[in-house]
Amino acid sequence: MSLRLADAGMPEGGPLFRAYAGAATGGPATAGPPGADEPVKGFFDYHPWDPGAPLRRATAVDREFEGDRRELSRALLDLASRLGGGAVTEASAARVSRPGSLVVVTGQQAGLLTGPLYTILKAATAAALARRLEAQLERPVIPVFWAATEDHDLVEANAAWIQDREGRWRKICCALPGRVEGLSVGAVPLPESTVAGVLSALRSLLPSGRWTSGALELAGATGRESATLGEWFCRLAQGLLGPLGVVVLDPMDPPLRRLAAKGVARVIAESPRLASALGKGIERVRRRGYEPQVAVDPQDAQLFMYPDGPRGPRRALRRDAAGPGFHLRGNGASFSQGELAGMALRDPELFSGNVVTRPLLQDFALPTVAYVAGPAEVAYFGQYKEAYGALGLTMPLVWPRLSLTLVEPAITRLLGRHGLGPGTVPGGVASRREQLLREGDPIGIEALFQGLREGLNGSYAGVVERLAAMDEVLGHLARQNRGRVAANVDWLERKARQVLRQRGAVGLGQLDRIEAALWPRGGPQERLANVFPFLARWGPGLLDEVSGLAPGPPFAHRYAYLE
């Protein structure tokens, strides 16, 4: 198999992301909303369009990273072995121990069956970027996938959207056991019956392909070996991504928790400065005409705690309104700053980061040269420059992930039949649908019924007026009669349009298939579709092909035609 590429404009994303990606693609660095008079690159420490940025960032890592690469490598090797990562993964983890090694990090919530396609696209981009930077910097660069198993948004994590054999989208969810509210995904128990239910649903939906049995076996084996929903994600992600050299990192794994302990203690010790820095970042973004992506409460300590241990619910840690102390929301427990910092070093498994501090803690634990980010994450980082500075760090090189729509041969043929190309979905499909309806309408249904309504309204106006003048009850009955006639006209028009649609059913059905495949449920394919139907038809070689794509710039959205 191979991929034939066609650019289709800018990826979906907010104004700040589009300005950043546009500048990196060769557009103006000041792109953005009216009045944005500071180049968007001023929001970041390093930029993809600057050829000298990787070397400067690597030099900063040499200066800022305080961790032990050998200890990090041992922790990653141990985890890779337990996750069944294989020889390629273990070789990547071993390379982290080399002096001067760097990592390209990406990450995502631990979604069911790996969640939407963008999870895979982020990892593939990280693998491609690591290869490029290793060649450029002449030092080891390893791709690492940070699985966000600490997240407790189970509604979002517990979903996989699969397109069935008829092209309809079906949602698979786990039957979660007992009370799981507030638990991190990495603490949600995974009974064998839950895995069996997911596999049964997946088996009923997947297309019959050369690789279907292998895809099901991978999902089943990794699920049966996992104790939690988060572990299933890590095992499955490692099984899919390991051949690309990607090392999956579970931040709830105790040895890896310890590597971030100094970062947690630093966040606690610098809490007032961090809160002030985050406020300045928000002010800067707003001052330049953008809407901040992350709302920040000044009293939020930007950390969670597990008061009952990491297998229990996690609670937000708050700063006291008066004084330097802290307390847990909804728990009543309070701590002094020194007490809390000591706990972070002594019992790091009791703490986890939030949307603000996760990337900061990541860079205390890892020698991060670059972070591969989705559109929302790019906007997050645009707020964080001052926050990094408050902890004595510079942010990594923020690299937009690959944005891709996979187009299978049957859909390629339908696109050609209707004269539709890259970037024409959904707008082009809607226009083509209207065109087909017009072409199949020999009597001009819309004009016909518009004239009928205008004539009826004109005639009834006089009748209603004259009857109402003669008798109020007759006027009321006339108005009711007008409403019934109007309803009958609406019904007749619907029937006429139904006949019209039946006559053009083949062409309209083809357009529905195109839209369902490329713009499912009203949004980009990469944000909904799960990878398993593609694996069933195309096998693991598809991931190799995607990983082989250039990671940008430019950062255009691409259509990838599978051939």
Side-chain angles (χ1 to χ4, degrees):
M1 65 157 295
S2 62
L3 299 179
R4 176 171 56 86
L5 298 179
D7 287 353
M10 286 290 292
E12 293 286 318
L16 199 156
F17 164 75
R18 293 175 71 84
Y20 186 74
T25 303
T30 53
D37 56 358
E38 178 186 340
V40 71
K41 67 181 183 181
F43 293 3
F44 301 84
D45 286 317
Y46 311 96
H47 319 102
W49 59 85
D50 177 359
L55 179 58
R56 291 200 305 278
R57 173 57 191 165
T59 302
V61 172
D62 293 339
R63 182 177 63 252
E64 297 171 4
F65 182 62
E66 300 175 1
D68 184 330
R69 286 175 169 84
R70 289 174 296 181
E71 182 181 358
L72 171 61
S73 177
R74 285 194 296 270
L76 292 174
L77 270 169
D78 177 63
L79 179 61
S81 176
R82 284 183 279 123
L83 294 178
V88 176
T89 303
E90 293 184 9
S92 289
R95 294 176 71 234
V96 174
S97 67
R98 296 184 185 178
S101 69
L102 301 166
V103 299
V104 171
V105 187
T106 193
Q108 189 56 45
Q109 185 183 54
L112 182 62
L113 298 174
T114 71
L117 272 173
Y118 58 56
T119 301
I120 302 299
L121 296 178
K122 291 172 90 172
T125 309
L129 182 58
R131 291 193 299 268
R132 175 188 290 184
L133 295 182
E134 178 160 324
Q136 180 179 346
L137 299 171
E138 299 182 336
R139 52 197 288 186
V141 182
I142 297 91
V144 171
F145 188 96
W146 185 292
T149 55
E150 299 164 309
D151 200 324
H152 60 265
D153 184 356
L154 294 177
V155 173
E156 186 174 345
N158 184 22
W161 285 92
I162 307 292
Q163 192 173 24
D164 69 15
R165 295 158 191 166
E166 286 73 45
R168 296 167 299 188
W169 287 97
R170 305 296 190 187
K171 184 179 180 180
I172 298 179
C173 297
C174 281
L176 298 176
R179 293 179 59 85
V180 296
E181 184 179 356
L183 294 184
S184 293
V185 176
V188 174
L190 186 68
E192 284 193 19
S193 59
T194 296
V195 176
V198 171
L199 290 176
S200 175
L202 184 62
R203 186 177 293 107
S204 71
L205 297 176
L206 285 184
S208 178
R210 177 183 175 187
W211 304 96
T212 301
S213 60
L216 287 167
E217 175 57 31
L218 177 62
T222 53
R224 288 187 291 270
E225 293 167 358
S226 301
T228 69
L229 188 58
E231 184 181 349
W232 190 9
F233 174 88
C234 290
R235 285 185 178 277
L236 185 52
Q238 191 63 87
L240 292 172
L241 304 175
L244 307 182
V246 177
V247 180
V248 171
L249 184 156
D250 181 356
M252 294 187 73
D253 194 49
L256 292 163
R257 284 273 205 208
R258 288 193 289 273
L259 294 174
K262 287 184 179 179
V264 174
R266 183 85 61 86
V267 168
I268 293 167
E270 300 293 347
S271 185
R273 289 187 62 202
L274 180 60
S276 174
L278 289 168
K280 290 177 181 176
I282 287 177
E283 290 174 8
R284 168 176 47 77
V285 168
R286 283 191 175 136
R287 189 169 59 248
R288 301 306 175 186
Y290 297 95
E291 186 62 29
Q293 185 75 24
V294 181
V296 176
D297 181 347
Q299 298 308 122
D300 194 332
Q302 310 303 334
L303 292 170
F304 287 97
M305 279 191 71
Y306 298 93
D308 302 318
R311 298 302 169 188
R314 69 175 189 167
R315 297 183 182 275
L317 191 63
R318 304 278 295 168
R319 301 171 63 231
D320 290 345
F326 298 82
H327 62 276
L328 283 180
R329 173 181 286 164
N331 176 274
S334 60
F335 313 90
S336 69
Q337 189 177 65
E339 180 183 12
L340 202 62
M343 289 175 64
L345 295 173
R346 186 174 62 254
D347 300 307
E349 70 277 3
L350 298 181
F351 296 84
S352 75
N354 68 356
V355 67
V356 171
T357 52
R358 192 208 63 75
L360 296 167
L361 299 180
Q362 155 201 295
D363 294 345
F364 275 99
L366 304 172
T368 309
V369 66
Y371 183 83
V372 172
E377 289 175 303
V378 170
Y380 294 169
F381 274 97
Q383 294 178 221
Y384 293 167
K385 186 174 182 178
E386 292 85 352
Y388 269 87
L391 301 185
L393 302 173
T394 53
M395 68 171 65
L397 175 60
V398 178
W399 202 275
R401 68 161 170 82
L402 182 67
S403 182
L404 199 69
T405 296
L406 297 174
V407 188
E408 298 189 87
I411 301 300
T412 300
R413 290 192 291 272
L414 293 180
L415 287 168
R417 191 170 299 166
H418 290 277
L420 299 171
T424 59
V425 181
V429 169
S431 298
R432 176 61 175 156
R433 187 179 285 119
E434 292 174 5
Q435 180 186 358
L436 287 180
L437 289 171
R438 286 195 304 270
E439 290 173 351
D441 180 7
I443 62 173
I445 286 176
E446 185 168 350
L448 177 67
F449 279 90
Q450 182 179 349
L452 176 58
R453 288 190 179 91
E454 290 174 353
L456 286 172
N457 288 337
S459 298
Y460 260 94
V463 171
V464 170
E465 182 180 354
R466 294 173 72 177
L467 288 176
M470 184 175 70
D471 183 86
E472 186 177 335
V473 173
L474 279 176
H476 176 69
L477 291 173
R479 284 189 289 271
Q480 283 186 326
N481 183 257
R482 179 175 59 187
R484 285 194 290 270
V485 171
N488 283 332
V489 170
D490 291 342
W491 175 85
L492 185 59
E493 183 181 12
R494 287 196 300 271
K495 286 296 182 180
R497 290 187 180 277
Q498 184 178 342
V499 170
L500 188 63
R501 281 184 167 275
Q502 288 170 348
R503 290 182 175 179
V506 173
L508 293 172
Q510 292 170 348
L511 294 175
D512 290 343
R513 284 185 63 194
I514 292 171
E515 196 165 49
L518 307 184
W519 196 256
R521 295 178 63 84
Q525 180 197 79
E526 62 188 8
R527 295 190 186 179
L528 183 88
N530 183 266
V531 72
F532 267 85
F534 296 101
L535 290 175
R537 282 188 285 262
W538 299 94
L542 173 62
L543 304 187
D544 293 330
E545 290 290 330
V546 172
S547 177
L549 300 178
F555 296 112
H557 182 80
R558 301 171 185 171
Y559 271 40
Y561 295 88
L562 284 77
E563 299 176 337

